[in-house]
Coordinates of all heavy atoms in Angstrom, one line a residue:
M1218 N 22.9 7.8 -34.4 CA 21.5 7.3 -34.2 C 20.6 8.4 -33.7 O 21.0 9.2 -32.8 CB 21.6 6.2 -33.1 CG 20.3 5.5 -32.8 SD 20.4 4.2 -31.6 CE 21.5 3.1 -32.4
Q1219 N 19.5 8.5 -34.3 CA 18.5 9.6 -34.0 C 17.6 9.2 -32.9 O 17.1 8.0 -32.9 CB 17.8 10.0 -35.3 CG 18.6 10.6 -36.3 CD 19.1 12.0 -35.9 OE1 18.4 12.7 -35.2 NE2 20.3 12.3 -36.3
P1220 N 17.2 10.1 -32.0 CA 16.2 9.8 -31.0 C 14.9 9.7 -31.6 O 14.6 10.2 -32.7 CB 16.3 10.9 -30.0 CG 16.9 12.1 -30.8 CD 17.8 11.4 -31.8
I1221 N 14.0 8.9 -30.9 CA 12.6 8.7 -31.4 C 11.7 9.5 -30.5 O 11.7 9.4 -29.3 CB 12.2 7.2 -31.4 CG1 13.1 6.5 -32.4 CG2 10.8 7.1 -31.8 CD1 12.9 5.0 -32.3
R1222 N 10.9 10.3 -31.1 CA 9.8 11.0 -30.4 C 8.5 10.6 -31.0 O 8.3 10.8 -32.2 CB 10.0 12.5 -30.4 CG 8.9 13.2 -29.6 CD 9.1 14.7 -29.5 NE 8.0 15.2 -28.7 CZ 7.8 16.5 -28.6 NH1 8.5 17.4 -29.3 NH2 6.8 16.9 -27.8
Q1223 N 7.6 10.0 -30.2 CA 6.4 9.5 -30.8 C 5.3 9.8 -29.8 O 5.4 9.6 -28.6 CB 6.5 8.0 -30.9 CG 5.3 7.3 -31.5 CD 5.5 5.8 -31.6 OE1 6.5 5.2 -31.2 NE2 4.6 5.1 -32.2
I1224 N 4.2 10.3 -30.4 CA 3.0 10.6 -29.6 C 2.0 9.5 -29.8 O 1.7 9.1 -30.9 CB 2.3 12.0 -30.0 CG1 3.3 13.1 -29.7 CG2 1.0 12.2 -29.3 CD1 2.8 14.5 -30.1
V1225 N 1.6 8.9 -28.7 CA 0.7 7.8 -28.7 C -0.7 8.3 -28.2 O -0.8 8.8 -27.1 CB 1.2 6.6 -27.8 CG1 0.2 5.4 -27.8 CG2 2.6 6.2 -28.2
H1226 N -1.7 8.1 -29.0 CA -3.0 8.6 -28.6 C -3.8 7.7 -27.6 O -4.6 8.2 -26.8 CB -3.9 8.9 -29.8 CG -3.4 10.0 -30.7 ND1 -3.6 11.3 -30.4 CD2 -2.6 10.0 -31.8 CE1 -3.0 12.1 -31.3 NE2 -2.4 11.3 -32.2
D1227 N -3.6 6.4 -27.7 CA -4.2 5.5 -26.8 C -3.1 4.6 -26.3 O -2.8 3.6 -26.9 CB -5.3 4.7 -27.4 CG -6.1 3.9 -26.5 OD1 -6.0 4.1 -25.2 OD2 -6.7 2.9 -26.9
A1228 N -2.5 4.9 -25.2 CA -1.3 4.2 -24.7 C -1.6 2.7 -24.4 O -2.6 2.4 -23.6 CB -0.7 4.8 -23.4
P1229 N -0.8 1.8 -24.9 CA -1.0 0.4 -24.6 C -0.5 0.0 -23.2 O 0.2 0.9 -22.5 CB -0.2 -0.4 -25.7 CG 0.9 0.6 -26.0 CD 0.3 2.0 -25.8
Q1230 N -0.7 -1.2 -22.7 CA -0.2 -1.6 -21.4 C 1.3 -1.7 -21.5 O 2.0 -1.4 -20.5 CB -0.8 -2.9 -21.0 CG -0.4 -3.4 -19.6 CD -1.2 -4.6 -19.2 OE1 -2.1 -5.1 -19.9 NE2 -0.9 -5.1 -18.0
F1231 N 1.9 -2.1 -22.6 CA 3.3 -2.3 -22.8 C 3.8 -1.5 -24.0 O 3.1 -1.4 -25.0 CB 3.7 -3.7 -22.9 CG 3.3 -4.6 -21.8 CD1 2.2 -5.4 -21.8 CD2 4.1 -4.6 -20.6 CE1 1.8 -6.2 -20.8 CE2 3.7 -5.4 -19.6 CZ 2.6 -6.2 -19.6
I1232 N 5.0 -0.9 -23.9 CA 5.5 -0.2 -25.1 C 6.8 -0.9 -25.5 O 7.7 -1.2 -24.8 CB 5.9 1.3 -24.7 CG1 4.6 2.0 -24.2 CG2 6.6 2.0 -25.8 CD1 4.8 3.4 -23.7
A1233 N 6.8 -1.2 -26.8 CA 7.9 -2.0 -27.4 C 9.1 -1.1 -27.6 O 9.0 0.1 -28.0 CB 7.5 -2.6 -28.7
V1234 N 10.3 -1.6 -27.3 CA 11.5 -0.9 -27.5 C 12.1 -1.3 -28.9 O 12.2 -2.5 -29.2 CB 12.5 -1.2 -26.4 CG1 13.9 -0.5 -26.7 CG2 12.0 -0.8 -25.1
P1235 N 12.4 -0.3 -29.8 CA 12.9 -0.7 -31.1 C 14.2 -1.5 -31.0 O 15.0 -1.3 -30.0 CB 13.2 0.7 -31.8 CG 12.3 1.6 -31.0 CD 12.2 1.1 -29.6
P1236 N 14.4 -2.4 -31.9 CA 15.6 -3.3 -31.8 C 16.9 -2.6 -31.7 O 17.8 -3.0 -31.0 CB 15.5 -4.1 -33.1 CG 14.1 -4.0 -33.6 CD 13.6 -2.7 -33.1
E1237 N 17.1 -1.4 -32.4 CA 18.4 -0.7 -32.3 C 18.6 -0.1 -31.0 O 19.8 0.3 -30.7 CB 18.4 0.4 -33.4 CG 17.4 1.4 -33.3 CD 16.1 1.1 -34.1 OE1 15.9 0.0 -34.5 OE2 15.3 2.1 -34.3
F1238 N 17.6 0.0 -30.1 CA 17.8 0.6 -28.8 C 17.9 -0.5 -27.7 O 18.2 -0.2 -26.5 CB 16.6 1.5 -28.4 CG 16.7 2.8 -29.1 CD1 15.7 3.1 -30.1 CD2 17.6 3.8 -28.8 CE1 15.7 4.3 -30.8 CE2 17.6 5.0 -29.5 CZ 16.7 5.2 -30.5
R1239 N 17.7 -1.7 -28.0 CA 17.8 -2.8 -27.0 C 19.2 -3.1 -26.6 O 20.2 -3.0 -27.4 CB 17.2 -4.1 -27.6 CG 15.7 -3.9 -27.8 CD 15.0 -5.2 -28.3 NE 13.6 -4.9 -28.6 CZ 12.9 -5.6 -29.4 NH1 13.4 -6.7 -30.0 NH2 11.6 -5.3 -29.6
H1240 N 19.4 -3.4 -25.4 CA 20.7 -3.7 -24.8 C 21.7 -2.6 -24.9 O 22.9 -2.7 -25.1 CB 21.3 -5.0 -25.4 CG 20.4 -6.2 -25.4 ND1 20.1 -6.8 -24.3 CD2 19.7 -6.8 -26.4 CE1 19.2 -7.8 -24.6 NE2 19.0 -7.8 -25.9
R1241 N 21.2 -1.3 -24.7 CA 22.0 -0.1 -24.7 C 21.6 0.7 -23.5 O 20.5 0.5 -23.0 CB 21.7 0.7 -26.0 CG 22.1 -0.1 -27.3 CD 21.9 0.8 -28.4 NE 22.9 1.9 -28.3 CZ 23.7 2.3 -29.3 NH1 23.5 1.8 -30.5 NH2 24.5 3.3 -29.2
L1242 N 22.3 1.7 -23.2 CA 22.0 2.7 -22.2 C 21.1 3.7 -22.9 O 21.4 4.4 -23.8 CB 23.3 3.4 -21.7 CG 23.0 4.5 -20.7 CD1 22.5 3.9 -19.4 CD2 24.4 5.2 -20.4
I1243 N 19.8 3.8 -22.4 CA 18.8 4.7 -23.0 C 18.2 5.5 -21.9 O 18.2 5.1 -20.7 CB 17.8 4.0 -23.8 CG1 16.9 3.0 -22.9 CG2 18.4 3.2 -25.0 CD1 15.7 2.5 -23.6
E1244 N 17.5 6.6 -22.2 CA 16.7 7.3 -21.3 C 15.2 7.3 -21.9 O 15.0 7.6 -23.0 CB 17.1 8.8 -21.3 CG 16.2 9.7 -20.4 CD 16.7 11.1 -20.4 OE1 17.5 11.5 -21.2 OE2 16.1 11.9 -19.6
L1245 N 14.3 6.8 -21.0 CA 12.9 6.7 -21.4 C 12.1 7.7 -20.6 O 12.1 7.6 -19.4 CB 12.4 5.3 -21.2 CG 11.0 5.0 -21.5 CD1 10.7 5.2 -23.0 CD2 10.6 3.6 -21.0
I1246 N 11.4 8.6 -21.2 CA 10.6 9.6 -20.6 C 9.2 9.4 -21.0 O 8.9 9.4 -22.2 CB 11.1 11.0 -20.9 CG1 12.5 11.2 -20.5 CG2 10.1 12.0 -20.3 CD1 13.1 12.5 -20.9
I1247 N 8.3 9.2 -20.0 CA 6.9 9.1 -20.3 C 6.2 10.3 -19.7 O 6.2 10.6 -18.5 CB 6.3 7.8 -19.7 CG1 6.9 6.6 -20.3 CG2 4.8 7.8 -19.9 CD1 6.5 5.3 -19.8
W1248 N 5.6 11.2 -20.6 CA 5.1 12.5 -20.2 C 3.6 12.6 -20.7 O 3.4 12.5 -21.9 CB 5.9 13.5 -20.9 CG 5.7 14.9 -20.5 CD1 4.6 15.6 -20.6 CD2 6.6 15.8 -19.8 NE1 4.7 16.9 -20.0 CE2 6.0 17.0 -19.6 CE3 8.0 15.6 -19.5 CZ2 6.7 18.0 -19.0 CZ3 8.6 16.7 -18.9 CH2 8.0 17.9 -18.6
P1249 N 2.7 12.7 -19.7 CA 1.3 12.8 -20.2 C 1.1 14.2 -20.9 O 1.5 15.2 -20.4 CB 0.5 12.7 -18.9 CG 1.5 13.2 -17.8 CD 2.8 12.8 -18.3
L1250 N 0.4 14.2 -22.0 CA 0.1 15.4 -22.7 C -1.2 16.0 -22.4 O -1.5 17.1 -22.9 CB 0.2 15.1 -24.2 CG 1.6 14.6 -24.7 CD1 1.5 14.4 -26.2 CD2 2.6 15.7 -24.4
E1251 N -2.0 15.3 -21.6 CA -3.3 15.9 -21.3 C -3.1 17.0 -20.2 O -2.3 16.9 -19.3 CB -4.2 14.8 -20.7 CG -4.5 13.7 -21.7 CD -5.2 12.5 -21.0 OE1 -5.2 12.4 -19.8 OE2 -5.7 11.7 -21.8
E1252 N -3.8 18.0 -20.4 CA -3.7 19.2 -19.4 C -4.4 18.8 -18.1 O -5.5 18.2 -18.1 CB -4.4 20.4 -20.0 CG -3.7 21.0 -21.2 CD -2.3 21.5 -20.8 OE1 -2.2 22.1 -19.7 OE2 -1.4 21.4 -21.6
A1253 N -3.8 19.2 -17.0 CA -4.4 19.0 -15.7 C -5.6 20.0 -15.6 O -5.6 21.1 -16.1 CB -3.4 19.2 -14.6
T1254 N -6.6 19.6 -14.8 CA -7.7 20.5 -14.6 C -7.3 21.7 -13.8 O -6.6 21.5 -12.8 CB -8.9 19.8 -13.9 OG1 -8.4 19.2 -12.7 CG2 -9.4 18.6 -14.7
P1255 N -7.6 22.9 -14.2 CA -7.2 24.1 -13.5 C -7.9 24.2 -12.1 O -9.0 23.8 -12.0 CB -7.6 25.2 -14.4 CG -8.7 24.7 -15.3 CD -8.4 23.2 -15.4
V1256 N -7.2 24.7 -11.1 CA -7.7 24.8 -9.8 C -8.3 26.2 -9.7 O -7.6 27.2 -9.9 CB -6.6 24.6 -8.7 CG1 -7.2 24.8 -7.3 CG2 -6.0 23.2 -8.9
T1257 N -9.6 26.3 -9.3 CA -10.2 27.6 -9.1 C -10.7 27.7 -7.6 O -10.6 26.7 -6.9 CB -11.4 27.8 -10.0 OG1 -12.4 26.7 -9.7 CG2 -11.0 27.7 -11.5
E1258 N -11.2 28.8 -7.2 CA -11.6 29.0 -5.8 C -12.8 28.1 -5.5 O -13.0 27.7 -4.4 CB -12.0 30.4 -5.6 CG -10.8 31.3 -5.5 CD -11.1 32.8 -5.1 OE1 -12.2 33.0 -4.5 OE2 -10.3 33.6 -5.4
S1259 N -13.6 27.8 -6.5 CA -14.8 27.0 -6.3 C -14.6 25.5 -6.5 O -15.5 24.7 -6.1 CB -16.0 27.4 -7.3 OG -15.5 27.2 -8.6
S1260 N -13.4 25.1 -6.9 CA -13.1 23.7 -7.1 C -12.8 23.0 -5.8 O -12.4 23.6 -4.8 CB -12.0 23.5 -8.1 OG -10.8 24.0 -7.6
E1261 N -13.0 21.7 -5.8 CA -12.7 20.9 -4.6 C -11.2 20.9 -4.3 O -10.4 20.8 -5.3 CB -13.2 19.5 -4.7 CG -14.7 19.4 -4.7 CD -15.3 19.6 -3.4 OE1 -14.7 19.2 -2.4 OE2 -16.4 20.2 -3.3
P1262 N -10.8 20.9 -3.1 CA -9.3 20.9 -2.8 C -8.8 19.5 -3.1 O -9.5 18.5 -3.1 CB -9.3 21.1 -1.3 CG -10.6 20.8 -0.7 CD -11.6 21.1 -1.8
Q1263 N -7.5 19.5 -3.4 CA -6.8 18.2 -3.8 C -6.3 17.5 -2.6 O -5.6 16.5 -2.8 CB -5.7 18.5 -4.8 CG -6.1 19.2 -6.1 CD -7.0 18.3 -6.9 OE1 -6.8 17.1 -7.0 NE2 -8.1 18.8 -7.5
F1264 N -6.5 18.0 -1.4 CA -6.0 17.3 -0.2 C -7.2 17.2 0.8 O -8.2 17.7 0.6 CB -4.9 18.2 0.4 CG -5.3 19.6 0.6 CD1 -6.0 20.1 1.7 CD2 -5.0 20.6 -0.4 CE1 -6.4 21.4 1.8 CE2 -5.4 21.9 -0.3 CZ -6.1 22.3 0.8
L1265 N -7.0 16.4 1.8 CA -8.0 16.1 2.8 C -8.0 17.2 3.8 O -7.0 17.7 4.3 CB -7.8 14.8 3.5 CG -7.8 13.6 2.6 CD1 -7.4 12.3 3.4 CD2 -9.1 13.4 1.9
I1266 N -9.2 17.7 4.1 CA -9.4 18.7 5.2 C -10.1 18.1 6.4 O -11.2 17.5 6.2 CB -10.2 19.9 4.6 CG1 -9.5 20.6 3.5 CG2 -10.5 20.9 5.7 CD1 -10.3 21.7 2.8
A1267 N -9.5 18.2 7.5 CA -10.1 17.6 8.7 C -11.1 18.6 9.2 O -10.9 19.8 9.4 CB -9.0 17.4 9.8
E1268 N -12.3 18.1 9.5 CA -13.3 18.9 10.1 C -13.3 18.8 11.6 O -13.4 17.7 12.2 CB -14.7 18.4 9.6 CG -14.8 18.6 8.1 CD -16.2 18.3 7.6 OE1 -17.2 18.3 8.4 OE2 -16.4 18.2 6.4
V1269 N -13.0 19.9 12.2 CA -12.9 20.0 13.7 C -13.9 21.0 14.2 O -14.4 21.9 13.5 CB -11.5 20.4 14.1 CG1 -10.5 19.3 13.7 CG2 -11.1 21.7 13.6
D1270 N -14.3 20.9 15.5 CA -15.2 21.8 16.1 C -14.6 23.2 16.4 O -15.1 24.2 16.2 CB -15.8 21.2 17.4 CG -16.7 20.0 17.1 OD1 -17.3 20.0 16.0 OD2 -16.8 19.1 17.9
R1271 N -13.3 23.1 16.9 CA -12.6 24.3 17.2 C -11.1 24.0 17.2 O -10.7 22.9 17.3 CB -13.0 24.9 18.6 CG -12.7 24.0 19.7 CD -13.3 24.6 21.0 NE -12.9 23.7 22.1 CZ -12.0 24.0 23.1 NH1 -11.4 25.2 23.0 NH2 -11.8 23.2 24.0
I1272 N -10.3 25.1 17.0 CA -8.9 25.0 17.0 C -8.4 25.6 18.3 O -8.7 26.7 18.7 CB -8.3 25.7 15.8 CG1 -8.8 25.1 14.5 CG2 -6.8 25.7 15.9 CD1 -8.4 25.8 13.3
V1273 N -7.5 24.9 19.0 CA -7.0 25.3 20.3 C -5.5 25.7 20.0 O -4.7 24.9 19.6 CB -7.0 24.2 21.4 CG1 -6.4 24.7 22.7 CG2 -8.5 23.8 21.6
I1274 N -5.2 27.0 20.3 CA -3.8 27.5 20.1 C -3.4 27.9 21.5 O -3.8 28.9 22.0 CB -3.8 28.6 19.1 CG1 -4.3 28.2 17.7 CG2 -2.3 29.1 19.0 CD1 -4.4 29.3 16.7
P1275 N -2.4 27.2 22.1 CA -1.9 27.6 23.4 C -1.1 28.9 23.3 O -0.5 29.2 22.3 CB -1.1 26.4 23.8 CG -0.7 25.7 22.5 CD -1.8 26.0 21.6
S1276 N -1.0 29.6 24.4 CA -0.3 30.8 24.5 C 1.2 30.4 24.4 O 1.6 29.3 24.6 CB -0.6 31.5 25.8 OG -0.1 30.8 26.9
R1277 N 2.1 31.5 24.3 CA 3.5 31.3 24.2 C 4.0 30.6 25.5 O 4.8 29.7 25.5 CB 4.2 32.6 24.0 CG 5.7 32.4 24.0 CD 6.4 33.7 23.7 NE 6.2 34.1 22.3 CZ 6.5 35.3 21.8 NH1 7.0 36.2 22.6 NH2 6.3 35.5 20.6
E1278 N 3.5 31.1 26.7 CA 3.9 30.6 28.0 C 3.5 29.1 28.1 O 4.3 28.2 28.6 CB 3.2 31.3 29.1 CG 3.8 32.7 29.3 CD 3.2 33.7 28.3 OE1 2.1 33.4 27.7 OE2 3.8 34.8 28.0
E1279 N 2.3 28.7 27.6 CA 1.9 27.3 27.7 C 2.7 26.4 26.7 O 3.1 25.3 27.1 CB 0.4 27.2 27.3 CG -0.5 27.8 28.3 CD -2.0 27.8 27.8 OE1 -2.2 28.0 26.6 OE2 -2.9 27.6 28.7
R1280 N 3.1 27.0 25.6 CA 3.9 26.2 24.6 C 5.3 26.0 25.2 O 5.9 24.9 24.9 CB 4.0 26.9 23.3 CG 2.7 26.9 22.5 CD 3.0 27.3 21.1 NE 3.7 28.5 20.9 CZ 3.2 29.7 20.7 NH1 1.9 29.8 20.5 NH2 3.9 30.8 20.5
N1281 N 5.9 27.0 25.9 CA 7.2 26.9 26.4 C 7.3 26.4 27.8 O 8.4 26.4 28.4 CB 7.9 28.3 26.3 CG 8.1 28.6 24.8 OD1 8.2 27.8 24.0 ND2 7.9 29.9 24.6
A1282 N 6.2 26.0 28.4 CA 6.3 25.5 29.8 C 7.1 24.2 29.9 O 7.0 23.4 29.1 CB 4.9 25.4 30.3
R1283 N 7.8 24.1 31.0 CA 8.6 22.9 31.2 C 7.8 22.0 32.2 O 7.4 22.5 33.2 CB 10.0 23.2 31.9 CG 10.8 24.2 31.1 CD 11.5 23.4 30.0 NE 12.4 24.4 29.3 CZ 13.0 24.1 28.2 NH1 12.9 22.9 27.7 NH2 13.7 24.9 27.6
W1284 N 7.6 20.8 31.8 CA 6.7 19.9 32.7 C 7.6 19.2 33.6 O 8.4 18.5 33.6 CB 5.9 19.0 31.8 CG 5.0 19.8 31.0 CD1 5.1 20.1 29.6 CD2 3.7 20.3 31.3 NE1 4.1 20.8 29.2 CE2 3.2 21.0 30.2 CE3 3.0 20.4 32.5 CZ2 2.0 21.6 30.2 CZ3 1.8 21.1 32.5 CH2 1.3 21.7 31.4

């Protein structure tokens, strides 16, 4: 039995499984072929950045102090 590789240009909501593959152990891989937009220095970050007034970094002694 030969594997099936098929490129779908407009993916439907459901993909039919050929009759010869039904009720068998199969591997189904869905891989988007569209390229991801490249990340540049001027592009928006893909994560959330918290806006804070200032960053407080305690000293080593303050971090290791036993309360």
Side-chain angles (χ1 to χ4, degrees):
M1218 184 176 298
Q1219 293 294 322
I1221 296 174
R1222 181 176 184 194
Q1223 180 180 7
I1224 296 177
V1225 179
H1226 293 281
D1227 186 24
Q1230 185 173 358
F1231 300 99
I1232 298 175
V1234 176
E1237 61 268 16
F1238 288 109
R1239 293 181 186 159
H1240 306 293
R1241 299 183 67 134
L1242 178 65
I1243 64 169
E1244 177 182 9
L1245 176 66
I1246 300 173
I1247 298 178
W1248 191 296
L1250 296 178
E1251 298 168 347
E1252 292 293 322
T1254 57
V1256 177
T1257 61
E1258 289 184 22
S1259 61
S1260 63
E1261 290 289 323
Q1263 300 295 320
F1264 50 88
L1265 298 177
I1266 298 176
E1268 294 186 17
V1269 296
D1270 294 330
R1271 63 188 182 105
I1272 298 174
V1273 177
I1274 301 176
S1276 67
R1277 177 178 290 170
E1278 289 79 21
E1279 291 173 326
R1280 287 194 311 260
N1281 294 326
R1283 303 279 181 188
W1284 299 100

